[in-house]
Amino acid sequence: MSALFEPRCVWPLQAELGEGPVWSAAENALWFVDIKQQRLHRFDPAGGEGRSWAAPAPPGFLAPCEAGGFIVGLKTGLCRFDPATGAFSEPSPVEPGLPGNRLNDGAVDPAGRLWFGSMDDGEEQATGALYRLDAGGLSLAEPGYVITNGPAVSPDGRRLYHTDTLEQVIYAFDLSPGGELSGKRVFARIEPRGGYPDGPTVDAAGKVWTGLFGGWGVRCYSPHGELLRSVCFPCANITKIAFGGEDLLTAYATTAWKGLDGAGRAEQPLAGGLFTFRVDTPGQPQHRVRHEFTHPR
């Protein structure tokens, strides 16, 4: 078992862009994606074994559904994935008029709403946006991002965090019971050489954890935005963490070798691996999507 706040690699699979870890309590397993290599991955901690599925397009995230299986956010749109058969449904486009975009990070809030972002695949144009999927269908929550990451929601469901990665800012919003956002403000800003905030996660005490792409670690902030802890890694690109295990006290971190040249990869042989470390505050249980996809309104 990993030591407290000391990462160790449990699956050196060399993901080019590992992302979006989610814990499946029913399976006692961790799921995540490799965006650039177009793979879905499942890791079984008990046996230390991994399994992978090829996706029909680059997958930005996957989210478990109350009806079973997962919703997967592909470059081509939202689809269903059935782990029992390995089948993907025909994707439903989210941004058919923006072929240069792809879907990126996503999360499910306590009300069962799916929140996810899109981004410019070339990482240059502010064509990305934040979306919400609920009983009313798919809605645009906020436009104007180059690279979206998150979102993540507080345990009481009243605050949502969303990251503008290139601007190195994590924003906080007030989240209404009906799913409306208001009160956008800066929650945390990463210093210029501190790396780029990637996927955020909120634990059961409301603390916000964020991976740092190019920052060699993970940071933990209080609900008030105060930096509480930094966890150092042996590779530069940490993308996101999820809390798992029976006690939800094991953090699983996805990483990436994207952007490293041959020398960089030789210096960071574990880049792209799946890591774990123990924490002193449990995570939130993984919420499930309650609503099926319908076209945007």
Side-chain angles (χ1 to χ4, degrees), residues 26-260:
E27 302 173 89
N28 289 314
L30 186 87
W31 289 82
F32 61 103
V33 303
D34 182 341
I35 298 172
K36 294 300 183 181
Q37 294 183 345
Q38 296 187 198
R39 294 287 188 272
L40 270 56
H41 297 298
R42 179 187 182 276
F43 178 72
D44 175 9
E49 299 173 344
R51 184 181 176 190
S52 304
W53 291 259
F61 68 87
L62 75 170
C65 302
E66 285 192 349
F70 293 88
I71 287 182
V72 180
L74 300 174
K75 179 177 172 61
T76 48
L78 297 176
C79 75
R80 291 293 301 271
F81 169 68
D82 182 356
T85 64
F88 292 82
S89 70
E90 186 70 21
S92 298
V94 173
E95 297 176 328
L98 294 170
N101 273 16
R102 65 170 174 83
L103 302 186
N104 199 35
D105 201 4
V108 187
D109 72 14
R113 293 176 291 235
L114 174 64
W115 298 83
F116 64 92
S118 65
M119 60 172 281
D120 172 24
D121 208 9
E123 303 181 8
E124 296 179 350
Q125 306 299 317
T127 52
L130 174 63
Y131 291 92
R132 181 187 71 242
L133 175 65
D134 59 15
L138 187 66
S139 300
L140 174 66
E142 188 178 57
Y145 292 85
V146 179
I147 300 177
T148 59
N149 264 297
V153 179
S154 61
D156 62 7
R158 298 173 59 184
R159 183 182 293 186
L160 180 142
Y161 301 93
H162 190 234
T163 298
D164 187 328
T165 294
L166 285 192
E167 293 297 323
Q168 296 178 285
V169 173
I170 302 172
Y171 291 106
F173 297 81
D174 296 320
L175 176 60
S176 76
E180 299 301 324
L181 300 180
S182 63
K184 181 180 180 179
R185 64 267 190 195
V186 173
F187 171 74
R189 189 182 299 273
I190 308 300
E191 67 276 13
R193 295 180 181 174
Y196 292 90
D198 209 311
T201 307
V202 184
D203 67 21
K207 300 193 298 292
V208 179
W209 297 73
T210 183
L212 294 174
F213 201 95
W216 296 85
V218 170
R219 290 186 183 180
C220 175
Y221 292 87
S222 78
H224 305 292
E226 302 161 326
L227 179 62
L228 300 177
R229 180 177 299 277
S230 295
V231 179
C232 297
F233 277 68
C235 51
N237 301 328
I238 318 306
T239 54
K240 191 172 184 176
I241 71 166
F243 298 99
E246 292 185 1
D247 55 10
L248 295 178
L249 286 170
T250 298
Y252 288 88
T254 48
T255 67
W257 60 259
K258 178 181 178 289
L260 300 180

Side-chain angles (χ1 to χ4, degrees), residues 8-9 11-15 234-235 255-257 265-275:
R8 68 181 180 93
C9 185
W11 189 7
L13 77 166
Q14 297 187 333
C235 51
T255 67
W257 60 259
R265 293 190 66 183
E267 293 170 357
Q268 301 177 41
L270 296 178
L274 177 67
F275 288 77

